[in-house]
Amino acid sequence: MSRRTLVALLAFLAFVSLGLPDGLLGVSWPSMRDSFGLPLDALGLFVGFATAGYLLSSFVSGAVLRHVSLGALLTLSTGAAATALLLVAAAPVWPVLLFAAFLAGLGGGAIDAGLNAYGAVHFSARVLNWLHAFFGLGTTLGPLIVTGVLSSGLIWRWSYAIVGCAQIALAITFLVTRDRWRPVEVEDTAPLASAGSVETLRRPVVWLGMGLFFLYSGVELATATWSYSLLTQERGVDETIAGLFVTLYWGSLMVGRVLFGFVADRLPLVATLRACIAASVLGALLFWLGTPALSLAGLMLMGFSLAPIFASLISLTPGRVGRDHADSAIGYQIAAAGLGGAVVTATLGLLADELGLDVIGVAIFAATLLLLAAYEGFMRR
């Protein structure tokens, strides 16, 4: 097996592991909440601690990679994520859970930013799209693990223990193969991470890229989070049917990434992504118009159209900002994406609370228009 193939397979496994904790939380939270006697909205605090760790590690990942090899960073980060999962499994009190959430965010953010920075230079657009499809596989497996544990009569903690042990095995694998992650010569021999973090932040195109990722993740997550509430509480769609709509949205996103991987290397990415974002605007418009059939068509069109954007933008970043700024810029973009998913989703919640759930449709449509404008600004700069 060639080094490139081995590294790609390891990256796929890492992204499965990156998605697993996200998949665990939603199904395990009711049982977790009962164990600690917590109110329903305590989930927001748990997610907030995880997001804080994720933002911190992804934002400084470029600076860290100037002093630590990627193999070592992946080993340490996966070890931190494994420790966090095992802490959750054994946590005696609520504050320990919050610390574990922050530690899990630190590990996840570093893995996400580090692998995306490496992949932007050493993986093709095809492999990058498949890499992000494997994240979706992880988020799908997580609920299945919790469901299997609970249906077997075991407590929810076992699901975190199982995934934590799997993360330990992955950390050991990264430790053994850490030298395989050394940079591969590409068009030139300039080191990828030579520019300082402050110097990178002085480049306007970097801020445009951060804004683009902020909006993209905001659109993706807010659509998934609020479409169910809009369909069931405002438009009278049956709960089971609405749940199927949201499942098909996520499914179209994952399938789109897999299919796009087969053609990504044969398409002009800049023009293709412009067309994809424009199609997502059309999908948002269909969703806003309101009938169940149009809502389903809009959600699936949005999912399929959004599918290649994140990974493909990562692959374009070195050419937009310069290879010497790429590690830091990609870390900033990953941080902005995490922040955008949280902020846009929360903002839509505030708007819905003030103006009614029907505002969600027009807000998502407006966000896709902003996404298209941000993309044009990023590319023209």
Side-chain angles (χ1 to χ4, degrees):
M1 182 184 297
S2 69
R3 181 159 73 94
R4 282 184 182 274
T5 302
L6 175 61
V7 166
L9 291 175
L10 289 172
F12 290 163
L13 284 175
F15 261 65
V16 172
S17 74
L18 196 61
L20 277 170
D22 290 348
L24 292 176
L25 183 59
V27 180
S28 63
W29 175 246
S31 301
M32 189 186 300
R33 184 170 67 88
D34 288 342
S35 297
F36 292 94
L38 299 169
L40 184 63
D41 59 2
L43 177 62
L45 189 59
F46 185 90
V47 173
F49 270 77
T51 302
Y54 180 91
L55 292 176
L56 175 61
S57 62
S58 55
F59 198 78
V60 303
S61 63
V64 172
L65 284 171
R66 287 195 292 276
H67 305 286
V68 177
S69 70
L70 178 59
L73 178 64
L74 292 175
T75 302
L76 293 171
S77 300
T78 310
T83 302
L85 288 165
L86 294 177
L87 271 177
V88 171
V93 291
W94 173 234
V96 175
L97 270 181
L98 295 180
F99 173 76
F102 181 77
L103 184 60
L106 282 177
I111 295 169
D112 201 354
L115 282 177
N116 274 298
Y118 183 92
V121 173
H122 300 104
F123 294 158
S124 65
R126 169 185 298 183
V127 175
L128 272 175
N129 274 276
W130 287 343
L131 186 66
H132 286 267
F134 272 87
F135 176 85
L137 177 61
T139 58
T140 303
L141 289 175
L144 295 177
I145 292 172
V146 181
T147 301
V149 165
L150 295 178
S151 63
S152 299
L154 300 172
I155 61 174
W156 63 269
R157 295 178 185 269
W158 278 102
S159 58
Y160 280 85
I162 291 168
V163 177
C165 290
Q167 292 274 35
I168 290 175
L170 184 60
I172 294 172
T173 302
F174 281 137
L175 176 64
V176 172
T177 61
R178 63 190 182 279
D179 292 335
R180 301 295 184 97
W181 294 92
R182 65 184 182 275
V184 179
E185 290 187 4
V186 286
E187 295 178 358
D188 55 67
T189 57
L192 182 59
S194 60
S197 300
V198 175
E199 184 182 349
T200 299
L201 283 173
R202 290 194 182 114
R203 298 171 66 85
V205 69
V206 172
W207 288 95
L208 287 171
M210 291 168 64
L212 181 57
F213 275 80
F214 180 97
L215 287 168
Y216 168 80
S217 290
V219 168
E220 179 190 294
L221 186 60
T223 301
T225 302
W226 289 110
S227 56
Y228 181 86
S229 297
L230 174 61
L231 291 169
T232 55
Q233 298 179 35
E234 185 70 23
R235 298 182 180 173
V237 177
D238 177 77
E239 292 182 356
T240 302
I241 299 299
L244 177 62
F245 283 12
V246 178
T247 300
L248 289 173
Y249 167 77
W250 281 120
S252 61
L253 190 78
M254 184 175 177
V255 170
R257 285 174 175 169
V258 173
L259 294 180
F260 190 78
F262 287 105
V263 299
D265 295 332
R266 298 193 292 271
L267 295 174
L269 278 184
V270 173
T272 301
L273 293 184
R274 179 179 292 113
C276 287
I277 297 175
S280 74
V281 174
L282 176 59
L285 178 62
L286 292 175
F287 180 66
W288 175 28
L289 290 178
T291 69
L294 287 176
S295 296
L296 176 59
L299 284 173
M300 293 189 67
L301 179 58
M302 284 188 71
F304 195 81
S305 302
L306 292 172
I309 294 173
F310 194 102
S312 298
L313 286 176
I314 291 291
S315 70
L316 289 172
T317 296
R320 297 289 98 187
V321 304
R323 287 190 61 233
D324 54 339
H325 293 277
D327 270 0
S328 293
I330 289 172
Y332 299 153
Q333 289 171 351
I334 298 297
L339 185 62
V343 169
V344 175
T345 300
T347 300
L348 261 64
L350 293 173
L351 288 173
D353 188 52
E354 290 292 326
L355 304 174
L357 281 168
D358 202 45
V359 75
I360 289 172
V362 66
I364 290 174
F365 175 66
T368 58
L369 288 175
L370 288 174
L371 177 63
L372 182 60
Y375 177 77
E376 294 300 332
F378 183 63
M379 290 305 161
R380 291 181 181 178
R381 182 76 191 184

